[in-house]
Amino acid sequence: MESFPSNSTVRRSSLLLLRVIISVFLLIALVLISITSQTVGGAKFKFTQVYSFRYMLAVIVIGLVYSLIQTSLAIFSMVSGDDVFKGKIANIFNFYADKIISYLLATGAAAGLGASEDLHRIFDATLNLNLDDFFAKANTSASFLFIAFICSAIASIYSSYELPT
Amino acid sequence: MESFPSNSTVRRSSLLLLRVIISVFLLIALVLISITSQTVGGAKFKFTQVYSFRYMLAVIVIGLVYSLIQTSLAIFSMVSGDDVFKGKIANIFNFYADKIISYLLATGAAAGLGASEDLHRIFDATLNLNLDDFFAKANTSASFLFIAFICSAIASIYSSYELPT
């Protein structure tokens, strides 16, 4: 049983690393979507005019709050040497929370990537409006959100293995 | 231990029911997205012109093939009384497959719902093109895909509990 504490430490360290990466990527996505605006021909375009981008913002904020709380708990547990959030209830909570958050991030990234791609093409083709800068920012934000989703899907696999049987 | 076979039968029956619902809803979504086209002012609009709808179609086809295979396996197992796909490897495969398929359906539904909403508004506002019929079909297809995603997320919870520890 010697390998158990070490295994558990490796698992907790990699899960913490994932949560830090998720937080950082969501923070970058948040900044990028917030500054997504462009003035073309006197008309100002803001990300709030596109519903998919608004949804992205909501998803990013929810995901960021959740992952910052989980990161803090994980760091606190590591530093104090005592797992502050453990046991059957904690494992079940983490399983469902990680799963729901990863689905939210997935839908946010998909809506953002789809909207920026399709709207960009239509604005280019039909309205002759050059909104490259606008859609580049939104698209980059959605890409960071997508990487955060991939990391949260992996975190969700971790927490599935912690499910009590 | 008398309750075990009964519990397992209940679980298998509800999982089969879920897979049948997923298959039916994906089939409806497939039909709806395939007939998404409209002719306005001599110009023909087809769903293939919107990348998000193309992605939706791809996701629906992958999800449908997967859920039909799983439904067939489940029905065959129930009829023959012998689980044809069981054991540790089968459980791990189901866990990852259900998870990946549910993420795919989630992203497809999100991209479809986002695109139909935002594109519809922009076509209405800027191009004065009445594409209500076109976007209504695409939106309904995405809604069926969304319900299929919810069912697949529940199926994915089932298969997480079957994970060997």
Side-chain angles (χ1 to χ4, degrees), chain B residues 2-163:
Chain B
E2 272 299 299
S3 69
F4 250 85
S6 155
N7 255 338
S8 157
T9 309
V10 169
R11 182 177 285 195
R12 276 165 62 185
S13 305
S14 31
L15 194 52
L16 173 58
L17 182 67
L18 273 176
R19 299 213 188 274
V20 170
I21 295 172
I22 295 169
S23 304
V24 170
F25 278 58
L26 287 180
L27 201 64
I28 298 172
L30 179 64
V31 171
L32 282 168
I33 195 68
S34 305
I35 59 166
T36 294
S37 67
Q38 196 182 343
T39 309
V40 178
K44 186 167 170 108
F45 292 87
K46 230 187 145 334
F47 78 92
T48 45
Q49 285 165 277
V50 180
Y51 288 177
S52 298
F53 296 162
R54 279 200 223 176
Y55 177 70
M56 253 178 77
L57 177 71
V59 158
I60 291 171
V61 169
I62 295 170
L64 189 57
V65 169
Y66 174 76
S67 71
L68 285 178
I69 293 174
Q70 285 280 16
T71 308
S72 316
L73 276 176
I75 292 176
F76 187 80
S77 297
M78 277 205 144
V79 170
S80 70
D82 181 41
D83 209 336
V84 286
F85 191 52
K86 63 181 175 185
K88 202 174 165 178
I89 302 289
N91 287 343
I92 291 174
F93 173 83
N94 283 339
F95 167 70
Y96 283 101
D98 281 341
K99 206 171 178 62
I100 291 169
I101 293 293
S102 69
Y103 282 129
L104 274 180
L105 299 186
T107 52
L113 288 171
S116 61
E117 184 61 38
D118 280 320
L119 291 177
H120 194 185
R121 278 175 44 245
I122 282 167
F123 273 108
D124 262 359
T126 58
L127 297 173
N128 264 321
L129 276 178
N130 187 340
L131 285 165
D132 288 357
D133 188 46
F134 180 82
F135 286 113
K137 280 179 203 150
N139 199 290
T140 314
S141 173
S143 304
F144 276 102
L145 178 53
F146 185 78
I147 304 170
F149 148 62
I150 296 292
C151 294
S152 78
I154 299 170
S156 166
I157 292 172
Y158 272 81
S159 58
S160 300
Y161 276 98
E162 302 283 349
L163 262 185

Side-chain angles (χ1 to χ4, degrees), chain A residues 38-60:
Chain A
Q38 196 182 343
T39 309
V40 178
K44 187 167 170 109
F45 292 88
K46 232 189 143 336
F47 78 94
T48 46
Q49 285 166 277
V50 181
Y51 287 178
S52 299
F53 296 163
R54 279 199 224 176
Y55 178 70
M56 253 178 77
L57 177 71
V59 158
I60 291 170

Side-chain angles (χ1 to χ4, degrees), chain A residues 43-109:
Chain A
K44 187 167 170 109
F45 292 88
K46 232 189 143 336
F47 78 94
T48 46
Q49 285 166 277
V50 181
Y51 287 178
S52 299
F53 296 163
R54 279 199 224 176
Y55 178 70
M56 253 178 77
L57 177 71
V59 158
I60 291 170
V61 169
I62 295 169
L64 190 58
V65 169
Y66 174 75
S67 71
L68 285 177
I69 292 173
Q70 285 279 18
T71 308
S72 316
L73 276 175
I75 291 175
F76 188 79
S77 298
M78 277 206 143
V79 170
S80 70
D82 182 42
D83 210 336
V84 286
F85 191 52
K86 65 180 174 185
K88 204 175 163 178
I89 301 289
N91 286 344
I92 291 174
F93 173 84
N94 283 339
F95 168 69
Y96 283 101
D98 280 342
K99 207 172 175 61
I100 291 169
I101 293 292
S102 70
Y103 283 130
L104 274 180
L105 299 186
T107 53

